[in-house]
């Protein structure tokens, strides 16, 4: 890997590019600012993307800040190990399509990652600017998005090279980021990959979860087309283990499975009144709006609206929900979060955008009970104040109740976004599969192989709840692991067949 | 052991039929409606081409369908299935915009999306005598359960109840798998006049009942459960909760069972009827009433 990076770094054009500008000049340049829609305007539309993306001139200027380090620590911060300096230097020299190709060497979904990755905790956290210069990092995420969008808009979307077909059938279960990244890698290796999805849309959380104002569906669709062009097949409305059993699929020729069935049952707090009407999970709220288009008049699925909407939680899903509520007309859209802003797991940019849009943050606040009208519809929630105590297992300071601090807030809708448990549907069909106490599938962390040899797993069904990019990293590892496993089996069979 | 040589002509005929059947069905598009019967103005039976589901389903399972891009995801219990023909039977009641549009579809039309089988299958076993209570469209999901219990060697006494005669559905099919069928109507237009509980209590007083299954409107299940609790008869009820994805993701279908929050799509749809908080269920079923009314007016106004 190191060797390969060095060879790439020593290519003539990169040496030449480095010599064109002194590092001192590079570091003097200011980080680019992402242009975005005006907050007051954008909250009128559920489907208008907030970030507008960089133009070519500002992207190339930003790319010139990157010093093409000898030891590119940024790559270590990337769960799918994108060759970051190579793609950025390609942008700097104006070869944007080449930059997009570089991204696709290791990432099945660059246009998605450029938008939803928590770069400030990953690549950008490991950038030389952050680590050594204490300056704002190179805007790796913005540049990734720029290169991927540029390719999508160019009409010249490159299809990654695939090895000769080996006619070995493998299945991916679920069609979220883990599966898509797995499918991309397996198709590159020549496998015959089918992705099975329970819902009627391919994309998993990218479609039902993340709203259009943060990740437009068309961006996902182009990435899906790319996979289709590589020979990946998609089966909708199909639950492996139910619609057909694992044994049925084995009979149909599938030799190995990658389970990435994702997040399942939403968590609730189990506090009094939580089953009143008007209190729902973020999964339900976002699925209604994103997958079922409930906010659009022509569609049959309803969605609850209200003047006062409270969203419980501090993650990306909570931000997506509260900003959706604002867009659907809430006058007061609130985040109720038991820790402080610093501990919020959401991407920094999402919190900033939410603040710009007039979202109220009731931090260090926790719900204790709900009250309803005579029809059982929630109309009031009781909350209590919290303060931060000693750090807990997660390293974050534990929220502690401030006694006697309860007060009531009028609410019409409450969205609970405090996390999910793994989806039990697939594991329940495989009694011999080893699962943890929490229902996550247990795997070898290197190969992602489960207790059933031909079954691999990754994403939220293994992690319990993580990010798009970590799921994609799992997909890549699982593809490598499964490839080794299947090739090993083939060798064994060949040895047996030759009779010794 | 010597075998009787097969009758060649017969075999050939059989094979030809099989091939024809296969060919006929392979002409069908996925989720095409092959048969329709109107039970009443508001209740329709649809037979739908879904070969994999027809093969895999068990009593108690349900499916989720979406008629077209605009449609809601509607959960429906599978009433019958024909493995050979590759079809499943659904009974639909006009409730909201999407279900009404589904009832208006005809043979030859195709449903856009259909996924299943979902939910936990009914625990079919030999229990002795089963009292099966079905109310209104709840008779449809009751049918495969009655069939299952009968085939498992139980005595099955079924009480069917509805407001009036035309709302008693699938009577012949139910009779085929019941030792006895008692019909109750609110208005006395068919069978005995009275509620499901009247008929059920008569049976309970008359003979030893080992287990009870109740499926129908939430109120009907609530009172059936109260009755069987009085007599200490283990009872299962199948909940018709609000659902969106139906695959254990959204939590719209949560119900309070024995003080715990359960998810109907994953943990159910059948639960111990004596533990279900029916009042909460009834309240939750009305959760989108105002929004649905608005959608209805949008579609029809």
């Amino acid at each position: 890997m190191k060797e390969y990076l060095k060879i790439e770094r020593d290519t003539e054009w990169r040496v030449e590019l480095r010599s064109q500008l002194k590092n001192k000049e590079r570091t003097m340049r200011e980080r680019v600012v992402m242009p975005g829609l005006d907050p007051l305007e954008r909250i009128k539309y559920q489907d208008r993307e907030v970030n507008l993306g960089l133009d070519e001139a500002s992207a190339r200027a930003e790319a010139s800040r990157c010093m093409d380090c000898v030891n590119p620590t940024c790559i270590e911060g990337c769960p799918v190990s994108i060759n970051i300096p190579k793609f950025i230097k390609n942008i700097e020299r104006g070869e944007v399509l080449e930059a997009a190709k570089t991204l696709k060497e290791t990432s099945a979904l660059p246009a998605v990652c450029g938008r939803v990755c928590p770069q400030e905790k990953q690549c950008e956290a490991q950038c030389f600017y952050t680590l050594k210069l204490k300056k704002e990092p190179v805007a790796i995420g913005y540049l990734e998005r720029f290169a991927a969008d540029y390719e999508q808009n160019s009409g010249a979307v490159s299809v990654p090279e695939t090895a000769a077909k080996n006619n070995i059938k493998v299945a991916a279960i679920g069609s979220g980021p883990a599966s898509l990244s797995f499918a991309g890698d397996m198709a590159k290796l020549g496998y015959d990959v089918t992705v099975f999805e329970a819902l009627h849309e391919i994309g998993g959380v990218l479609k039902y979860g993340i709203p259009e104002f943060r990740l437009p569906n068309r961006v996902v669709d182009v990435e899906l087309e790319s996979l289709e062009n590589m020979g990946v097949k998609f089966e909708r409305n199909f639950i492996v283990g139910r619609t057909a059993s694992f044994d049925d699929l084995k009979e149909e020729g599938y030799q190995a499975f990658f389970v990435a069935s994702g997040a399942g049952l939403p968590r609730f707090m189990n506090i009094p009144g939580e089953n009143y009407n008007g209190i729902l999970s973020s999964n339900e709220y976002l699925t209604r709006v994103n997958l079922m288009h409930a906010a659009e008049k022509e569609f049959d699925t309803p969605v609850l609206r209200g003047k006062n909407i409270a969203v419980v939680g501090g993650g990306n899903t909570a931000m997506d929900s509260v900003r959706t509520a604002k867009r659907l007309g809430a006058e007061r859209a609130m985040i109720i979060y038991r820790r402080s802003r610093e501990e919020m797991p959401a991407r920094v940019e999402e919190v900033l955008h939410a603040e710009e849009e007039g979202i109220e943050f009731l931090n260090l606040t926790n719900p204790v009970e709900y009250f309803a009208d005579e029809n059982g519809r929630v109309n009031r929630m009781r909350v209590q104040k919290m303060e931060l105590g000693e750090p807990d297992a997660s390293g974050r300071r534990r929220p502690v109740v401030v006694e006697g601090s309860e007060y009531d807030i009028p609410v019409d809708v409450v969205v609970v976004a405090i996390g999910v448990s793994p989806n039990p549907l697939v594991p329940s069909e495989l009694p011999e599969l080893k699962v943890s106490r929490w229902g996550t599938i247990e795997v070898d962390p290197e190969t992602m192989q489960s207790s059933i040899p031909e079954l691999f797993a990754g994403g939220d069904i293994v992690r319990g709840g993580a990010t798009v990019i970590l799921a994609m990293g799992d997909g890549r590892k699982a593809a490598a692991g499964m490839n080794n496993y299947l090739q090993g089996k083939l060798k064994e069979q060949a040895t047996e067949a030759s009779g010794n | 052991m010597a075998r009787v040589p097969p009758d060649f002509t017969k075999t050939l005929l059989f094979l030809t039929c099989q091939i024809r059947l296969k060919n006929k069905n392979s002409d069908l598009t996925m989720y095409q409606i092959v048969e329709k019967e109107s039970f009443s103005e508001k209740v329709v039976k649809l037979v739908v081409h879904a070969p994999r589901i027809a093969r895999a389903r068990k009593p108690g399972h349900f499916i989720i369908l979406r008629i077209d891009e605009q449609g809601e995801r509607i959960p429906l219990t599978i009433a019958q299935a024909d493995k050979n023909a590759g079809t499943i039977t659904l009974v639909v009641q006009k409730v909201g915009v999407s279900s009404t549009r589904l009832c208006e579809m005809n043979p030859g039309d195709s449903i856009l999306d259909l996924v299943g089988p979902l939910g936990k299958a009914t625990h079919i076993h030999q229990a002795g005598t089963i009292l099966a209570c079905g109310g209104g469209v709840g008779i449809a999901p009751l049918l495969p359960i009655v069939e299952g219990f009968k085939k498992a060697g139980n005595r099955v006494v079924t009480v069917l109840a509805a407001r009036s005669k035309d709302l008693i559905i699938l009577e012949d099919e139910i009779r085929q798998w019941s030792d006895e069928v008692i019909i109750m109507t609110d208005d006395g237009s068919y069978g005995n006049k009275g509620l499901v509980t009247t008929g059920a209590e008569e049976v309970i007083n008359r003979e030893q009942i080992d287990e009870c299954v109740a499926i129908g409107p939430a109120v009907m299940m609530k009172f059936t459960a109260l009755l069987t609790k009085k007599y200490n008869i283990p009872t299962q009820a199948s909940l018709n909760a609000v659902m969106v994805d139906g695959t254990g993701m959204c939590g719209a279908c949560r119900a309070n069972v024995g003080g715990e929050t359960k998810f109907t799509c994953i943990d159910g749809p059948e639960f111990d009827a004596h533990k279900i908080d029916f009042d909460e269920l009834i309240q939750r079923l009305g959760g989108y009433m105002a929004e649905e009314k608005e959608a209805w007016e949008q579609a029809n106004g």
Side-chain angles (χ1 to χ4, degrees):
Chain A
M1 177 78 184
K2 278 240 160 85
E3 199 50 25
Y4 162 76
L5 288 176
K6 191 179 173 321
I7 294 168
E8 294 258 3
R9 187 174 180 271
D10 290 342
T11 48
E12 211 175 300
W13 67 268
R14 269 173 76 178
V15 176
E16 161 72 21
L17 203 59
R18 279 197 296 275
S19 69
Q20 282 178 11
L21 206 62
K22 287 210 173 77
N23 276 347
K24 191 153 188 213
E25 284 173 63
R26 294 182 189 273
T27 56
M28 295 289 285
R29 298 188 172 175
E30 290 288 312
R31 178 177 156 121
V32 68
V33 175
M34 172 62 84
L37 288 178
D38 175 65
L40 289 178
E41 184 60 21
R42 73 193 187 217
I43 56 170
K44 295 178 197 158
Y45 308 96
Q46 176 71 14
D47 57 354
R48 294 214 183 155
E49 196 178 5
V50 170
N51 280 346
L52 296 171
L54 305 180
D55 60 32
E56 192 170 342
S58 50
R60 289 182 68 176
E62 179 64 23
S64 74
R65 291 180 68 223
C66 170
M67 292 180 286
D68 199 2
C69 303
V70 183
N71 178 22
T73 42
C74 51
I75 301 179
E76 286 156 32
C78 175
V80 297
S81 311
I82 288 174
N83 190 341
I84 294 169
K86 182 180 170 190
F87 101 78
I88 291 184
K89 290 299 108 181
N90 264 312
I91 295 177
E92 185 184 346
R93 68 165 171 159
E95 294 289 342
V96 187
L97 290 177
E98 278 303 310
K101 252 192 209 163
T102 308
L103 292 170
K104 283 190 178 173
E105 284 171 14
T106 55
S107 169
L109 308 164
V112 173
C113 294
R115 287 169 165 87
V116 304
C117 265
Q119 289 95 2
E120 73 271 11
K121 291 183 191 141
Q122 299 174 346
C123 51
E124 294 183 17
Q126 303 301 321
C127 175
F128 190 81
Y129 280 78
T130 317
L131 291 178
K132 297 280 153 58
L133 303 178
K134 306 293 169 211
K135 283 189 174 185
E136 284 213 278
V138 175
I140 302 170
Y142 295 169
L143 292 174
E144 180 182 23
R145 173 186 161 164
F146 167 74
D149 284 2
Y150 184 96
E151 190 197 34
Q152 286 200 358
N153 298 331
S154 73
V157 176
S158 72
V159 178
E161 275 176 45
T162 52
K165 296 250 171 292
N166 63 16
N167 294 320
I168 300 175
K169 277 167 94 171
V170 297
I173 299 165
S175 69
S179 260
L180 297 178
S181 122
F182 165 86
D185 274 15
M186 289 304 267
K188 279 182 201 163
L189 291 166
Y191 287 89
D192 180 358
V193 193
T194 305
V195 176
F196 292 94
E197 167 58 48
L199 294 174
H200 56 260
E201 279 260 359
I202 300 294
V205 71
L206 307 176
K207 283 288 177 71
Y208 75 73
I210 304 174
E212 290 252 359
F213 57 78
R214 192 149 79 88
L215 176 65
N217 284 342
R218 62 172 166 76
V219 171
V220 183
D221 288 335
V222 176
E223 310 265 29
L224 294 177
E225 253 170 57
S226 215
L227 285 169
E228 258 176 350
N229 289 335
M230 288 165 71
V232 176
K233 293 173 209 147
F234 294 101
E235 280 261 14
R236 295 160 173 81
N237 301 311
F238 200 118
I239 302 175
V240 175
R242 291 302 189 99
T243 311
S245 68
F246 282 88
D247 286 339
D248 289 341
L249 291 181
K250 277 182 202 164
E251 254 172 56
E252 289 173 30
Y254 291 92
Q255 306 220 3
F257 301 87
F258 176 57
V259 182
S261 47
L265 303 173
R267 288 213 192 103
F268 287 92
M269 293 175 68
N270 294 317
I271 56 175
E274 211 171 21
N275 283 353
Y276 282 132
N277 290 326
I279 304 172
L280 64 162
S281 75
S282 49
N283 268 1
E284 179 180 352
Y285 189 62
L286 293 173
T287 301
R288 282 178 184 271
V289 177
N290 299 334
L291 183 75
M292 305 310 295
H293 305 279
E296 294 164 51
K297 279 203 172 102
E298 318 77 85
F299 290 80
D300 295 353
T301 303
V303 63
L304 297 175
R305 297 180 195 247
K307 257 199 236 170
N308 301 304
I309 300 192
V311 175
V312 183
N316 286 319
T317 313
M319 297 307 141
D320 287 345
S321 300
V322 79
R323 295 170 69 199
T324 296
K326 189 82 191 174
R327 283 161 171 75
L328 298 193
E331 285 169 21
R332 191 176 181 207
M334 301 163 262
I335 284 283
I336 314 274
Y337 180 55
R338 63 188 182 132
R339 303 183 200 242
S340 72
R341 192 176 186 277
E342 255 168 55
E343 287 80 18
M344 277 193 178
R347 288 178 86 220
V348 168
E349 189 178 38
E350 307 313 324
V351 180
L352 280 175
H353 282 164
E355 284 170 344
E356 287 168 12
E357 288 164 12
I359 304 300
E360 254 179 82
F361 284 81
L362 281 69
N363 293 339
L364 291 167
T365 304
N366 206 30
V368 285
E369 187 173 359
Y370 297 101
F371 301 91
D373 64 16
E374 67 280 9
N375 297 318
R377 171 76 184 250
V378 68
N379 58 11
R380 192 156 54 90
M381 73 191 287
R382 182 156 297 162
V383 298
Q384 63 189 5
K385 292 273 197 187
M386 311 294 278
E387 58 190 9
L388 293 177
E390 293 301 305
D392 65 8
S394 72
R396 296 179 298 179
R397 293 176 67 193
R398 186 194 305 273
V400 185
V401 172
V402 178
E403 291 303 334
S405 63
E406 286 94 352
Y407 67 101
D408 290 0
I409 304 170
V411 285
D412 307 303
V413 178
V414 178
V415 179
V416 182
I418 58 167
V420 291
S421 323
N423 197 314
L425 213 49
V426 174
S428 71
E429 295 302 318
L430 294 166
E432 70 276 28
L433 180 68
K434 248 197 184 160
V435 294
S436 74
R437 197 145 49 96
W438 300 277
T440 51
I441 298 178
E442 293 195 343
V443 294
D444 176 324
E446 290 310 312
T447 62
M448 308 310 278
Q449 190 169 29
S450 75
S451 60
I452 301 173
E454 69 274 18
L455 199 139
F456 296 70
D460 279 0
I461 192 71
V462 165
R463 295 173 175 272
T467 57
V468 167
I469 189 69
L470 286 171
M472 287 180 57
D474 288 354
R476 296 208 68 207
K477 267 198 228 166
M482 189 187 283
N483 181 43
N484 278 339
Y485 165 76
L486 289 172
Q487 294 307 324
K489 235 171 94 174
L490 275 182
K491 248 185 226 159
E492 241 170 65
Q493 282 165 358
T495 323
E496 269 168 39
S498 70
N500 33 74
Chain B
M1 198 175 76
R3 277 195 166 183
V4 181
D7 179 335
F8 185 67
T9 341
K10 228 182 189 171
T11 312
L12 196 68
L13 194 69
F14 174 71
L15 280 176
T16 325
C17 285
Q18 287 291 92
I19 291 162
R20 222 179 259 157
L21 193 70
K22 235 183 156 178
N23 279 346
K24 193 182 149 213
N25 282 347
S26 64
D27 287 346
L28 294 173
T29 56
M30 225 25 178
Y31 322 131
Q32 191 167 18
I33 297 171
V34 293
E35 198 189 312
K36 179 182 180 177
E37 187 184 336
S38 290
F39 285 144
S40 70
E41 198 202 324
K42 288 208 155 188
V43 180
V44 166
K45 176 182 117 173
L46 297 172
V47 179
V48 181
H49 180 64
R52 282 205 191 254
I53 299 171
R55 225 177 301 142
R57 72 96 211 193
K58 292 193 179 80
H61 279 152
F62 67 95
I63 56 99
I64 290 241
L65 62 78
R66 189 175 73 131
I67 48 176
D68 56 22
E69 284 292 331
Q70 283 73 37
E72 273 192 76
R73 289 173 68 89
I74 309 174
L76 290 167
T77 312
I78 303 165
Q80 281 172 298
D82 184 335
K83 281 183 199 174
N84 295 325
T87 58
I88 55 170
T89 302
L90 307 169
V91 173
V92 196
Q93 183 172 25
K94 291 182 187 173
V95 184
V97 182
S98 278
S99 57
T100 302
R101 293 204 288 128
L102 176 61
C103 287
E104 283 160 3
M105 290 177 83
N106 287 308
D109 295 345
S110 284
I111 292 162
L112 183 62
D113 300 295
L114 197 152
V115 65
L118 293 159
K120 284 207 169 101
T122 311
H123 178 53
I124 303 274
H125 59 130
Q126 204 184 344
T129 302
I130 304 287
L131 173 63
C133 300
V137 278
I139 298 169
L142 189 68
L143 173 59
I145 297 171
V146 165
E147 180 183 339
F149 273 114
K150 182 67 197 165
K151 282 181 175 166
N154 296 283
R155 173 176 157 76
V156 181
V157 180
T158 308
V159 182
L160 301 182
R163 277 202 311 280
S164 58
K165 186 182 178 189
D166 62 330
L167 299 173
I168 298 283
I169 60 169
L170 298 165
E171 187 189 335
D172 291 345
E173 289 85 347
I174 289 277
R175 279 193 190 280
Q176 195 190 336
W177 301 108
S178 304
D179 292 276
E180 190 187 340
V181 175
I182 296 164
I183 310 267
M184 305 295 301
T185 49
D186 293 3
D187 61 1
S189 56
Y190 188 43
N192 303 318
K193 187 171 171 111
L195 299 172
V196 70
T197 40
T198 320
E201 193 156 21
E202 266 177 43
V203 179
I204 294 168
N205 286 330
R206 186 184 73 189
E207 62 183 295
Q208 162 76 27
I209 298 297
D210 298 291
E211 270 180 43
C212 174
V213 185
I215 310 183
V219 183
M220 170 259 170
M221 292 192 284
K222 174 184 169 177
F223 284 100
T224 310
L226 285 174
L227 174 76
T228 58
K229 193 166 188 185
K230 197 168 84 182
Y231 293 97
N232 259 325
I233 301 166
T235 302
Q236 296 288 314
S238 177
L239 304 190
N240 51 336
V242 171
M243 288 187 193
V244 184
D245 68 292
T247 60
M249 204 180 76
C250 82
C253 65
R254 62 195 195 273
N256 185 335
V257 182
E260 268 181 77
T261 293
K262 294 279 182 188
F263 298 94
T264 306
C265 70
I266 288 283
D267 304 318
E270 283 163 37
F271 294 103
D272 180 344
H274 297 157
K275 290 187 177 165
I276 298 167
D277 183 342
F278 281 105
D279 293 330
E280 186 189 280
L281 175 76
I282 291 164
Q283 199 171 68
R284 288 188 59 79
L285 284 169
Y288 283 85
M289 213 79 103
E291 289 74 17
E292 266 159 19
K293 193 167 164 259
E294 198 182 305
W296 177 261
E297 279 159 6
Q298 194 106 45
N300 294 280

